[in-house]
Amino acid sequence: MALLHRLLGRAARIVWRVTRPRTIGVRAVLLDPAGARVALVRHTYIDGWYLPGGGVKKGEGVTQALHRELAEEVAVTGATVERVLGVYHNRREGKDDHVVVYVARAGSDALHGADALEVAEVGWFALDALPESTTPATRRRIGEFRDGATGSGAW
């Protein structure tokens, strides 16, 4: 099933290069209750560790999408949104994507991959001890959070 997701992901990226859709996405610097660790996700269809999140569906608000994505990817419901870290422009994969990154806090330490077809692995990681394969953009967002910066610009 993971191979199917990887193939579908590659097909989607080819379509995006041709159609260049404008999309809106959300991600979360999701902290554990103590604020010492951040949740990261490793997907089945792409390499690397990412902040949990995804696309905003038609007719859905960005905060609503964030809560849906947290439930789908890391099985966290009722996270407290603390602030917007930044709004970024991502032109990778052929899309014209705008990504709203929130800082949120989970109500408990419970964390597990909710959608086994999409999520290979999830985990809590210390802010200064991220997995080696954490993506560069994810590292930049976490760095901005650690520095107390408000981010913007390119993803």
Side-chain angles (χ1 to χ4, degrees), residues 130-151:
L130 303 175
E132 187 174 309
S133 60
T134 302
T135 66
T138 300
R139 287 182 183 279
R140 286 192 299 272
R141 301 300 78 87
I142 292 170
E144 290 165 355
F145 168 75
R146 290 181 67 198
D147 293 343
T150 299

Side-chain angles (χ1 to χ4, degrees), residues 24-26 56 60-67 100 102:
I24 300 173
V26 293
V56 177
E60 183 178 50
V62 291
T63 305
Q64 181 183 11
L66 176 74
H67 286 289
V100 181
Y102 289 90

Side-chain angles (χ1 to χ4, degrees), residues 10-23:
R10 286 184 184 155
R13 286 188 285 282
I14 290 169
V15 169
W16 296 333
R17 283 194 179 107
V18 173
T19 62
R20 302 223 181 263
R22 172 160 289 171
T23 58

Side-chain angles (χ1 to χ4, degrees), residues 55-138:
V56 177
K57 294 180 179 181
K58 192 173 188 104
E60 183 178 50
V62 291
T63 305
Q64 181 183 11
L66 176 74
H67 286 289
R68 176 184 50 76
E69 287 290 344
L70 291 176
E72 288 176 3
E73 291 197 345
V74 294
V76 168
T77 59
T80 302
V81 174
E82 296 183 350
R83 68 182 175 97
V84 172
L85 178 67
V87 180
Y88 306 86
H89 188 212
N90 184 4
R91 297 186 56 120
R92 295 190 67 188
E93 299 180 332
K95 296 185 287 184
D96 183 19
D97 193 21
H98 292 81
V99 183
V100 181
V101 179
Y102 289 90
V103 175
R105 193 172 303 262
S108 75
D109 284 333
L111 190 70
H112 61 86
D115 181 351
L117 294 177
E118 181 180 356
V119 177
E121 190 175 1
V122 300
W124 290 115
F125 298 93
L127 294 166
D128 59 355
L130 303 175
E132 187 174 309
S133 60
T134 302
T135 66
T138 300

